Amino acid sequence: MALETNKSLAELTPDSTISHIVSINHEAAEMLASIGLEPSEHMDETLRAVCKQRQWSEVEVLQWIKKYLSVPNDSKTDNTPQEQSNFGENAAAWCNYLKTEFHDPNLELLNEISTNFPRVLQIHGNQYPWLKNMQWHFEGFEGKVRLYFKFEEKKLFRLIEKLENDHGSVLDGTIRELDRCMKIIEEDQKQLHHYMEKVREKGRGFKNPPGACSTLRILNQNFELLFSGLNDQFKKEKEIILPLVQKKLAAA
């Protein structure tokens, strides 16, 4: 079913009607609404026609929809009960899940924002001065997120995998390292939450000004998607992975 949906998405063009686009994936309607286009008001019109009315880039809007909807990830929904039945107390499996379902899509969003933000700033910086106020905070946030992901994948996840593979004979050094890593993760999450609050504040809540172009609208919505994905990731770590590791360490 997912392959059929992705094939249908790939076949969409700017001359597809809004009705056809949202019939393929209901989330397309939510995405269009999130950038200021209410699908129910334009069902029989083509994406090209609707974007032309707004002076948006229909190609950019369609590419954004295709890219987001073609990548399934659990940060879009809360499937915790099912996840628990799938992974149980296997902390290493939880780490693999976290990387696939959160790290990868969140990093993809971060890369897209990192690419588009300088372009939006250059074009609209004088028109919307608050974009300049965002820049420093976003750069600090971006650097911190990338370090956080790298630390988890290169350090924390590898130690957790070692913990699982040691089968009860955990070395004192591994225990100390894991304990230190978990404290770092908790502190880094606090710092990242602070960065996210500042970026949102300086970005005027990611609200689109009247007449905003499609590029700025997509940028703002990508920020919303990224922050939502990160919050869901942090929640999984805080409520599932870290307590599970602590339990295993206590039993070691």
Side-chain angles (χ1 to χ4, degrees), residues 48-58 211-215:
R48 186 187 305 278
V50 176
C51 287
K52 186 176 181 181
Q53 296 167 16
R54 291 165 166 74
Q55 297 184 316
W56 293 359
S57 167
E58 66 274 11
C213 67
S214 54
T215 306

Side-chain angles (χ1 to χ4, degrees), residues 27-158:
E27 286 188 84
E30 298 171 10
M31 294 185 70
L32 289 170
S34 74
I35 60 172
L37 194 165
E38 180 51 58
S40 63
E41 298 175 4
H42 304 277
M43 296 298 277
D44 296 329
E45 298 178 70
T46 65
L47 180 65
R48 186 187 305 278
V50 176
C51 287
K52 186 176 181 181
Q53 296 167 16
R54 291 165 166 74
Q55 297 184 316
W56 293 359
S57 167
E58 66 274 11
V59 173
E60 182 178 49
V61 171
L62 186 59
Q63 286 177 341
W64 176 61
I65 291 173
K66 286 182 177 181
K67 185 174 183 179
Y68 180 74
L69 294 182
S70 64
V71 180
N73 72 85
D74 285 351
S75 66
K76 298 177 185 178
T77 56
D78 186 3
N79 298 321
T80 301
Q82 180 180 359
E83 290 159 10
Q84 288 178 331
S85 64
N86 287 341
F87 303 113
E89 294 194 348
N90 189 327
W94 275 107
C95 292
N96 290 332
Y97 157 80
L98 198 76
K99 182 184 181 306
T100 301
E101 301 297 337
F102 291 91
H103 276 206
D104 292 348
N106 285 339
L107 186 57
E108 187 169 348
L109 277 168
L110 181 64
N111 289 338
E112 189 168 344
I113 292 171
S114 181
T115 297
N116 291 334
F117 186 82
R119 182 159 59 99
V120 172
L121 179 62
Q122 182 179 14
I123 297 172
H124 296 295
N126 292 330
Q127 183 181 8
Y128 307 125
W130 46 268
L131 286 168
K132 298 178 181 178
N133 297 332
M134 284 181 69
Q135 184 178 14
W136 185 85
H137 296 281
F138 169 65
E139 289 174 353
F141 162 76
E142 179 188 8
K144 188 67 177 178
V145 171
R146 293 189 187 279
L147 287 174
Y148 184 85
F149 285 178
K150 184 176 181 180
F151 178 78
E152 285 198 326
E153 292 184 20
K154 301 296 185 182
K155 188 73 173 179
L156 178 65
F157 292 176
R158 290 182 181 180

